[in-house]
Amino acid sequence: KQEVTQIPAALSVPEGENLVLNCSFTDSAIYNLQWFRQDPGKGLTSLLLIQSSQREQTSGRLNASLDKSSGRSTLYIAASQPGDSATYLCAVSSNYQLIWGAGTKLIIKP
Amino acid sequence: GAVVSQHPSRVICKSGTSVKIECRSLDFQATTMFWYRQFPKQSLMLMATSNEGSKATYEQGVEKDKFLINHASLTLSTLTVTSAHPEDSSFYICSARGTSGGATDTQYFGPGTRLTVL
Protein backbone atom coordinates (compact mmCIF):
# COMPACT_ATOMS: atom_id res chain seq x y z
CA LYS A 1 0.00 0.00 0.00
CA GLN A 2 1.45 3.32 -1.10
CA GLU A 3 2.03 5.86 1.67
CA VAL A 4 3.23 9.42 1.28
CA THR A 5 4.93 11.34 4.05
CA GLN A 6 5.92 14.98 4.15
CA ILE A 7 8.50 16.38 6.50
CA PRO A 8 8.45 18.82 8.19
CA ALA A 9 4.78 19.39 8.96
CA ALA A 10 5.47 23.08 9.46
CA LEU A 11 8.34 25.38 8.67
CA SER A 12 8.98 29.04 9.42
CA VAL A 13 11.94 30.85 7.88
CA PRO A 14 13.03 34.46 7.30
CA GLU A 15 12.46 36.01 3.93
CA GLY A 16 15.23 35.46 1.41
CA GLU A 17 16.32 32.03 2.57
CA ASN A 18 16.51 29.02 0.31
CA LEU A 19 14.57 26.06 1.63
CA VAL A 20 13.77 22.43 0.92
CA LEU A 21 10.54 20.56 1.49
CA ASN A 22 10.62 16.78 1.59
CA CYS A 23 8.23 14.13 0.36
CA SER A 24 8.78 10.39 0.68
CA PHE A 25 6.78 7.47 -0.66
CA THR A 26 6.92 3.77 0.12
CA ASP A 27 6.29 2.19 -3.29
CA SER A 28 8.57 3.21 -6.14
CA ALA A 29 6.07 2.04 -8.78
CA ILE A 30 4.61 5.45 -9.47
CA TYR A 31 3.26 7.09 -12.60
CA ASN A 32 4.18 10.62 -11.57
CA LEU A 33 4.62 12.90 -8.60
CA GLN A 34 3.19 16.35 -8.21
CA TRP A 35 3.72 19.30 -5.93
CA PHE A 36 0.81 21.57 -5.12
CA ARG A 37 0.26 24.76 -3.24
CA GLN A 38 -2.77 25.33 -1.06
CA ASP A 39 -3.70 28.83 0.09
CA PRO A 40 -6.28 29.28 2.86
CA GLY A 41 -9.79 29.57 1.48
CA LYS A 42 -8.70 28.89 -2.08
CA GLY A 43 -8.48 25.96 -4.41
CA LEU A 44 -5.42 23.95 -5.15
CA THR A 45 -2.63 25.25 -7.41
CA SER A 46 -0.47 22.81 -9.29
CA LEU A 47 3.21 23.75 -9.10
CA LEU A 48 5.27 21.02 -10.71
CA LEU A 49 4.62 17.61 -12.19
CA ILE A 50 7.42 15.07 -12.53
CA GLN A 51 6.86 12.00 -14.68
CA SER A 52 8.31 8.75 -13.38
CA SER A 53 10.98 8.84 -16.09
CA GLN A 54 12.15 12.32 -15.12
CA ARG A 55 14.59 13.41 -12.44
CA GLU A 56 13.55 17.00 -11.92
CA GLN A 57 11.37 19.87 -13.04
CA THR A 58 11.92 23.59 -12.67
CA SER A 59 9.57 26.55 -12.70
CA GLY A 60 10.90 29.95 -11.76
CA ARG A 61 12.27 29.79 -8.22
CA LEU A 62 10.97 26.27 -7.74
CA ASN A 63 12.82 23.08 -8.44
CA ALA A 64 11.45 19.64 -7.73
CA SER A 65 13.52 16.48 -7.85
CA LEU A 66 12.49 12.84 -7.95
CA ASP A 67 14.48 9.80 -6.87
CA LYS A 68 12.26 6.79 -7.37
CA SER A 69 14.78 4.27 -6.10
CA SER A 70 14.94 5.93 -2.71
CA GLY A 71 11.27 6.96 -2.71
CA ARG A 72 11.98 10.65 -2.29
CA SER A 73 11.15 13.98 -3.80
CA THR A 74 12.26 17.42 -2.74
CA LEU A 75 10.83 20.83 -3.51
CA TYR A 76 13.49 23.52 -3.47
CA ILE A 77 12.37 27.13 -3.12
CA ALA A 78 15.01 29.74 -3.83
CA ALA A 79 15.04 33.22 -2.33
CA SER A 80 11.82 32.74 -0.40
CA GLN A 81 9.25 35.54 -0.24
CA PRO A 82 6.33 36.21 2.11
CA GLY A 83 4.01 35.39 -0.78
CA ASP A 84 5.36 31.85 -0.73
CA SER A 85 3.59 31.28 2.58
CA ALA A 86 1.12 28.45 2.04
CA THR A 87 0.69 24.73 2.57
CA TYR A 88 2.63 22.62 0.11
CA LEU A 89 1.33 19.17 -0.76
CA CYS A 90 2.90 16.37 -2.71
CA ALA A 91 0.85 13.65 -4.33
CA VAL A 92 1.93 10.42 -5.96
CA SER A 93 0.02 8.89 -8.83
CA SER A 94 0.03 5.18 -8.17
CA ASN A 95 -2.28 2.38 -9.25
CA TYR A 96 -4.76 4.79 -10.86
CA GLN A 97 -5.08 6.85 -7.69
CA LEU A 98 -3.57 9.94 -6.17
CA ILE A 99 -2.01 9.34 -2.80
CA TRP A 100 -1.61 12.56 -0.87
CA GLY A 101 0.90 13.68 1.69
CA ALA A 102 -0.36 15.61 4.69
CA GLY A 103 1.40 18.78 3.60
CA THR A 104 4.01 21.17 4.92
CA LYS A 105 2.77 24.52 6.20
CA LEU A 106 5.32 27.12 5.21
CA ILE A 107 5.54 30.59 6.75
CA ILE A 108 7.97 33.12 5.35
CA LYS A 109 8.62 35.93 7.79
CA PRO A 110 9.23 39.41 6.35
CA GLY B 1 -7.27 12.65 10.01
CA ALA B 2 -10.09 13.71 7.75
CA VAL B 3 -10.90 11.36 4.89
CA VAL B 4 -12.46 12.05 1.53
CA SER B 5 -13.62 9.19 -0.64
CA GLN B 6 -14.58 9.03 -4.29
CA HIS B 7 -16.67 6.47 -6.08
CA PRO B 8 -16.05 4.89 -8.46
CA SER B 9 -12.27 4.86 -8.65
CA ARG B 10 -12.39 3.83 -12.30
CA VAL B 11 -15.16 3.90 -14.86
CA ILE B 12 -15.29 3.02 -18.52
CA CYS B 13 -18.35 4.07 -20.49
CA LYS B 14 -19.60 4.38 -24.03
CA SER B 15 -19.77 7.69 -25.82
CA GLY B 16 -23.08 9.45 -25.26
CA THR B 17 -23.78 8.04 -21.84
CA SER B 18 -23.73 9.96 -18.56
CA VAL B 19 -21.46 9.16 -15.66
CA LYS B 20 -21.88 10.18 -12.04
CA ILE B 21 -18.94 10.51 -9.67
CA GLU B 22 -19.49 10.78 -5.93
CA CYS B 23 -17.31 12.63 -3.46
CA ARG B 24 -17.87 12.06 0.25
CA SER B 25 -16.33 13.52 3.37
CA LEU B 26 -16.34 10.56 5.73
CA ASP B 27 -15.70 12.03 9.15
CA PHE B 28 -16.31 15.73 8.84
CA GLN B 29 -18.82 18.15 7.39
CA ALA B 30 -17.80 20.03 4.29
CA THR B 31 -19.58 23.19 3.27
CA THR B 32 -17.36 23.55 0.23
CA MET B 33 -16.16 20.96 -2.24
CA PHE B 34 -13.89 21.45 -5.21
CA TRP B 35 -13.76 19.44 -8.42
CA TYR B 36 -10.56 19.15 -10.43
CA ARG B 37 -9.63 17.49 -13.70
CA GLN B 38 -6.28 16.30 -14.87
CA PHE B 39 -5.43 15.19 -18.39
CA PRO B 40 -2.49 12.83 -18.95
CA LYS B 41 0.85 14.49 -18.34
CA GLN B 42 -0.82 17.79 -17.53
CA SER B 43 -1.34 19.64 -14.31
CA LEU B 44 -4.44 19.57 -12.21
CA MET B 45 -7.08 22.14 -13.19
CA LEU B 46 -9.91 23.43 -11.05
CA MET B 47 -13.29 22.88 -12.70
CA ALA B 48 -15.74 24.20 -10.16
CA THR B 49 -16.39 25.07 -6.55
CA SER B 50 -19.58 23.93 -4.91
CA ASN B 51 -21.13 25.12 -1.69
CA GLU B 52 -23.73 23.04 0.10
CA GLY B 53 -27.22 24.04 -0.85
CA SER B 54 -26.29 26.46 -3.61
CA LYS B 55 -25.27 26.39 -7.25
CA ALA B 56 -21.70 25.57 -8.14
CA THR B 57 -19.31 28.21 -9.43
CA TYR B 58 -17.61 27.06 -12.60
CA GLU B 59 -14.20 28.11 -13.84
CA GLN B 60 -13.91 29.78 -17.19
CA GLY B 61 -14.12 27.33 -20.04
CA VAL B 62 -15.95 24.62 -18.08
CA GLU B 63 -19.43 23.87 -19.41
CA LYS B 64 -21.89 23.84 -16.55
CA ASP B 65 -24.51 21.99 -18.59
CA LYS B 66 -22.06 19.24 -19.36
CA PHE B 67 -20.56 18.87 -15.90
CA LEU B 68 -23.45 18.91 -13.47
CA ILE B 69 -22.49 19.36 -9.86
CA ASN B 70 -24.81 18.73 -6.96
CA HIS B 71 -23.86 19.40 -3.35
CA ALA B 72 -27.01 18.41 -1.58
CA SER B 73 -25.57 17.61 1.82
CA LEU B 74 -22.61 18.49 3.97
CA THR B 75 -20.95 15.18 3.24
CA LEU B 76 -21.73 14.49 -0.40
CA SER B 77 -21.10 16.18 -3.72
CA THR B 78 -21.66 14.60 -7.11
CA LEU B 79 -20.24 15.38 -10.52
CA THR B 80 -22.21 14.10 -13.50
CA VAL B 81 -20.54 14.10 -16.88
CA THR B 82 -23.46 14.24 -19.28
CA SER B 83 -23.33 12.81 -22.80
CA ALA B 84 -19.71 11.86 -22.31
CA HIS B 85 -17.32 11.87 -25.24
CA PRO B 86 -13.79 10.51 -25.60
CA GLU B 87 -12.32 13.97 -24.99
CA ASP B 88 -13.90 13.89 -21.51
CA SER B 89 -11.63 11.00 -20.59
CA SER B 90 -9.60 12.29 -17.69
CA PHE B 91 -8.76 11.96 -14.04
CA TYR B 92 -11.31 13.72 -11.82
CA ILE B 93 -10.40 14.66 -8.25
CA CYS B 94 -12.52 16.22 -5.56
CA SER B 95 -11.54 17.96 -2.38
CA ALA B 96 -13.59 18.97 0.62
CA ARG B 97 -13.12 21.82 3.02
CA GLY B 98 -14.24 21.24 6.56
CA THR B 99 -16.19 23.46 8.89
CA SER B 100 -15.38 22.11 12.32
CA GLY B 101 -13.54 19.52 14.36
CA GLY B 102 -10.07 20.63 13.34
CA ALA B 103 -10.88 20.52 9.66
CA THR B 104 -11.84 24.17 9.37
CA ASP B 105 -10.54 25.82 6.24
CA THR B 106 -8.31 22.86 5.38
CA GLN B 107 -8.86 21.00 2.16
CA TYR B 108 -8.76 17.24 2.07
CA PHE B 109 -8.43 15.46 -1.23
CA GLY B 110 -9.98 12.35 -2.61
CA PRO B 111 -8.06 9.61 -4.42
CA GLY B 112 -9.54 10.50 -7.80
CA THR B 113 -11.71 8.84 -10.43
CA ARG B 114 -10.32 7.79 -13.77
CA LEU B 115 -12.90 8.14 -16.51
CA THR B 116 -12.40 6.50 -19.89
CA VAL B 117 -14.96 7.18 -22.60
CA LEU B 118 -14.86 4.80 -25.54
Side-chain angles (χ1 to χ4, degrees):
Chain A
K1 178 183 176 182
Q2 178 73 272
E3 294 181 358
V4 180
T5 304
Q6 289 187 247
I7 295 174
L11 181 64
S12 180
V13 301
E15 179 180 4
E17 282 197 7
N18 302 325
L19 58 98
V20 175
L21 306 181
N22 297 292
C23 174
S24 62
F25 46 96
T26 55
D27 187 345
S28 62
I30 65 172
Y31 181 66
N32 61 45
L33 183 145
Q34 305 183 65
W35 283 93
F36 298 89
R37 170 182 173 143
Q38 180 182 350
D39 292 283
K42 297 184 179 180
L44 201 62
T45 301
S46 181
L47 298 174
L48 292 164
L49 183 155
I50 312 176
Q51 300 294 342
S52 62
S53 59
Q54 298 175 323
R55 299 282 290 186
E56 67 176 349
Q57 283 287 321
T58 298
S59 176
R61 294 182 294 108
L62 305 179
N63 176 279
S65 68
L66 175 64
D67 184 343
K68 281 203 316 177
S69 61
S70 65
R72 292 181 182 178
S73 176
T74 61
L75 179 66
Y76 175 83
I77 302 176
S80 59
Q81 303 171 359
D84 294 331
S85 297
T87 296
Y88 290 80
L89 295 153
C90 75
V92 168
S93 178
S94 176
N95 195 28
Y96 302 105
Q97 290 189 330
L98 272 181
I99 313 300
W100 296 89
T104 294
K105 185 173 184 178
L106 176 64
I107 297 174
I108 306 299
K109 297 174 288 187
Chain B
V3 177
V4 174
S5 71
Q6 282 185 240
H7 178 80
S9 58
R10 298 181 66 186
V11 58
I12 300 173
C13 69
K14 294 182 179 180
S15 184
T17 61
S18 294
V19 175
K20 179 184 284 188
I21 302 170
E22 293 185 349
C23 176
R24 293 181 184 272
S25 56
L26 298 184
D27 51 4
F28 66 100
Q29 294 184 327
T31 55
T32 304
M33 288 187 172
F34 303 87
W35 286 96
Y36 299 85
R37 178 171 57 184
Q38 184 175 36
F39 292 105
K41 298 188 178 182
Q42 295 185 24
S43 299
L44 208 64
M45 292 180 60
L46 178 65
M47 298 175 65
T49 302
S50 74
N51 292 294
E52 185 265 339
S54 63
K55 292 184 178 180
T57 301
Y58 290 81
E59 296 298 301
Q60 189 173 9
V62 178
E63 300 175 59
K64 62 180 181 180
D65 293 330
K66 178 156 184 74
F67 299 99
L68 301 179
I69 293 173
N70 184 291
H71 191 166
S73 78
L74 287 172
T75 60
L76 173 64
S77 176
T78 61
L79 168 67
T80 301
V81 182
T82 62
S83 186
H85 288 90
E87 57 265 31
D88 298 323
S89 298
S90 187
F91 193 54
Y92 293 86
I93 303 162
C94 75
S95 70
R97 186 167 66 195
T99 59
S100 62
T104 303
D105 208 39
T106 298
Q107 282 189 50
Y108 298 92
F109 298 91
T113 296
R114 184 164 298 283
L115 171 64
T116 302
V117 184
L118 303 177

